[in-house]
């Protein structure tokens, strides 16, 4: 099987990964990373046996020349997963990625919305129909914001939701999430979010008729499944309508809502393992970063106390 072309092996790897039901974007990232690095290998590999550690190091060096450490790290992980698959399938005897250095990535710095009252201001503003919109749908817009602010969902996780993803008895309602890397999780939802989902589905039935459990939960104004670009645009328009654009960290957008959810969990006393389970983090260190940021904010508040400044002057 070592004589099978690289393109065929990559297709087999992606087919195997697809059985874990990752998001479409995850599979696309695998395919893109594998083919981009492969094209930079010199000499051009014909089969997997041509990918020696030396050839891989050269390809990754060329790949890294014009890309961020985070992009290189993701590509390294894609290739590591690919070779792990080939070892498991007994196509190759060992994984050569240990000979390719993985770049150090900077620790996650949470980027929640700025301003203590911003989440509440945002939800209240968006819950009112905006007459300047061509076809206002406040019930849908509130649910999009609330799924991130009150359940911590990622963009891709929202797009994967079905109507039947929200289930359970009254007081025990939860949303079933297809998490990053194929890791499913159940997130409890409080009555407020549950009621918002109910109002949205009622308004959707008025617009489009009956809604089945397997239908996408989030749809656009034509009733079609909401897409990535449409969801991003919707969130930006909500910020604009609420007048809080200056409170959104640069480059965060929808992720700022998820970070706000996690930061408030930490502020209210949740520990790293609880945050990890609720947000679907793969690493406890990622969850810990929210607690550390909260601790830094508390220390900054103490340092700003005027009495502390007087004490320092007495020394």
């Amino acid at each position: 099987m070592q004589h099978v072309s690289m393109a065929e092996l990559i297709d087999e790897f992606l087919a195997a990964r697809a059985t874990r039901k990752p998001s479409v974007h995850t599979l696309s990232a695998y395919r893109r990373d594998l083919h981009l690095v492969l094209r930079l290998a010199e000499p051009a590999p014909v089969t997997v046996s041509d990918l020696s550690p030396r050839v891989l190091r050269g390809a990754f060096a060329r790949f890294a020349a014009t890309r961020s450490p985070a992009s290189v790290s993701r590509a390294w992980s894609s290739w590591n997963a690919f070779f792990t698959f080939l070892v498991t399938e007994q196509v190759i005897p060992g994984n050569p990625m240990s000979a390719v250095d993985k770049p150090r990535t900077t620790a996650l710095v949470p980027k929640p919305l700025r301003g203590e009252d911003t989440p509440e201001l945002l939800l209240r503003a968006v819950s009112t129909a905006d007459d300047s919109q061509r076809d206002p749908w406040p019930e849908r817009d509130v649910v999009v914001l609330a799924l991130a602010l009150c359940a911590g969902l990622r963009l891709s996780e929202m797009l994967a939701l079905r109507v039947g993803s929200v289930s359970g008895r009254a007081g025990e309602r939860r949303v079933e999430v297809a998490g990053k890397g194929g890791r499913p999780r159940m997130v409890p939802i409080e009555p407020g979010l549950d009621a918002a989902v109910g109002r949205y589905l009622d308004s959707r039935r008025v617009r489009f008729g009956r809604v089945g459990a397997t239908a996408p939960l989030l749809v656009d104004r034509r009733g079609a499944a909401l897409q990535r670009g449409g969801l991003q645009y919707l969130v930006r328009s909500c910020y604009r309508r609420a007048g809080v654009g200056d409170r959104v960290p640069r480059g965060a957008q929808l992720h700022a809502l998820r970070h706000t959810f996690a930061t408030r969990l930490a502020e209210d006393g949740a520990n790293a393992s609880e945050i990890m389970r609720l947000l679907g983090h793969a690493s406890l260190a990622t969850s810990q970063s929210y607690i550390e940021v909260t601790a830094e904010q508390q220390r900054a508040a103490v340092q700003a106390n005027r009495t502390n400044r007087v004490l320092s002057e007495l020394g």
Side-chain angles (χ1 to χ4, degrees), residues 21-23 26 154 156-157 177-185 279-280:
K21 298 195 178 299
S23 73
T26 297
R154 300 177 177 92
S156 60
E157 293 169 346
V177 183
K180 191 175 182 179
R183 294 184 297 273
R185 69 182 188 280
L279 273 82

Side-chain angles (χ1 to χ4, degrees), residues 216-296:
L217 178 63
L218 299 177
V219 297
D220 61 24
R221 289 184 174 89
R222 299 185 306 275
L226 201 58
Q227 301 298 314
R228 188 180 189 86
L231 183 53
Q232 291 171 327
Y233 177 81
L234 187 157
V235 172
R236 288 195 300 271
S237 70
C238 287
Y239 289 146
R240 185 172 60 253
R241 282 152 49 198
V244 299
D246 59 340
R247 303 187 188 188
V248 182
R250 184 179 178 84
Q253 298 300 313
L254 189 143
H255 230 56
L257 305 177
R258 173 176 159 87
H259 284 192
T260 300
F261 171 72
T263 300
R264 286 193 164 185
L265 286 175
E267 289 172 348
D268 293 339
N271 61 41
S273 62
E274 289 169 337
I275 295 173
M276 180 180 179
R277 285 194 294 272
L278 287 170
L279 273 82
H281 289 150
S283 165
L284 194 63
T286 304
S287 306
Q288 184 68 35
S289 66
Y290 293 97
I291 294 173
E292 290 170 354
V293 166
T294 300
E296 289 172 6

Side-chain angles (χ1 to χ4, degrees), residues 40 55-66 72 100:
L40 295 172
V55 169
L56 283 167
R57 282 194 296 269
F60 266 89
R62 287 182 281 275
F63 182 81
T66 58
V72 180
V100 180

Side-chain angles (χ1 to χ4, degrees), residues 20-306:
R20 304 184 183 186
K21 298 195 178 299
S23 73
V24 173
H25 306 293
T26 297
L27 283 177
S28 296
Y30 276 130
R31 182 181 297 277
R32 183 172 59 251
D33 289 340
L34 292 172
H35 281 288
L36 283 174
V37 173
L38 189 63
R39 284 201 291 268
L40 295 172
E42 297 176 0
V46 177
T47 66
V48 70
S49 59
D50 298 322
L51 288 173
S52 66
R54 181 182 60 80
V55 169
L56 283 167
R57 282 194 296 269
F60 266 89
R62 287 182 281 275
F63 182 81
T66 58
R67 291 172 176 83
S68 68
S71 295
V72 180
S73 181
R74 190 195 63 209
W76 189 97
S77 297
S78 296
W79 275 88
N80 188 57
F82 174 58
F83 279 124
T84 299
F85 164 76
L86 296 182
V87 171
T88 302
E89 294 294 308
Q90 300 183 336
V91 177
I92 56 176
N95 186 342
M97 289 305 294
S98 58
V100 180
D101 289 336
K102 184 178 182 181
R104 295 179 182 176
T105 54
T106 55
L108 168 72
V109 178
K111 296 180 178 180
L113 295 171
R114 292 186 287 267
E116 181 61 29
D117 63 341
T118 303
E120 291 74 25
L121 192 159
L122 177 63
L123 287 171
R124 289 193 182 102
V126 172
S127 67
T128 303
D130 184 352
D131 293 334
S132 66
Q133 288 183 290
R134 186 175 65 242
D135 183 15
W137 195 357
E139 296 88 354
R140 192 275 313 269
D141 298 349
V142 166
V143 161
V144 166
L145 298 176
L147 285 169
L149 279 171
C150 302
L153 270 60
R154 300 177 177 92
L155 183 149
S156 60
E157 293 169 346
M158 287 192 197
L159 296 178
L161 289 176
R162 302 287 148 181
V163 172
S165 297
V166 178
S167 61
R169 297 180 297 177
E172 298 178 1
R173 300 283 280 171
R174 59 192 182 275
V175 58
E176 184 176 357
V177 183
K180 191 175 182 179
R183 294 184 297 273
R185 69 182 188 280
M186 302 293 287
V187 180
I189 60 175
E190 291 299 297
L193 176 53
D194 190 26
V197 172
R199 288 192 296 271
Y200 158 63
L201 290 175
D202 287 343
S203 70
R204 180 171 162 184
R205 292 185 188 100
V206 170
R207 286 172 173 252
F208 306 115
R210 184 176 175 276
V211 181
T214 59
L217 178 63
L218 299 177
V219 297
D220 61 24
R221 289 184 174 89
R222 299 185 306 275
L226 201 58
Q227 301 298 314
R228 188 180 189 86
L231 183 53
Q232 291 171 327
Y233 177 81
L234 187 157
V235 172
R236 288 195 300 271
S237 70
C238 287
Y239 289 146
R240 185 172 60 253
R241 282 152 49 198
V244 299
D246 59 340
R247 303 187 188 188
V248 182
R250 184 179 178 84
Q253 298 300 313
L254 189 143
H255 230 56
L257 305 177
R258 173 176 159 87
H259 284 192
T260 300
F261 171 72
T263 300
R264 286 193 164 185
L265 286 175
E267 289 172 348
D268 293 339
N271 61 41
S273 62
E274 289 169 337
I275 295 173
M276 180 180 179
R277 285 194 294 272
L278 287 170
L279 273 82
H281 289 150
S283 165
L284 194 63
T286 304
S287 306
Q288 184 68 35
S289 66
Y290 293 97
I291 294 173
E292 290 170 354
V293 166
T294 300
E296 289 172 6
Q297 292 169 339
Q298 291 170 343
R299 180 168 292 279
V302 171
Q303 289 171 344
N305 186 305
R306 286 171 290 175

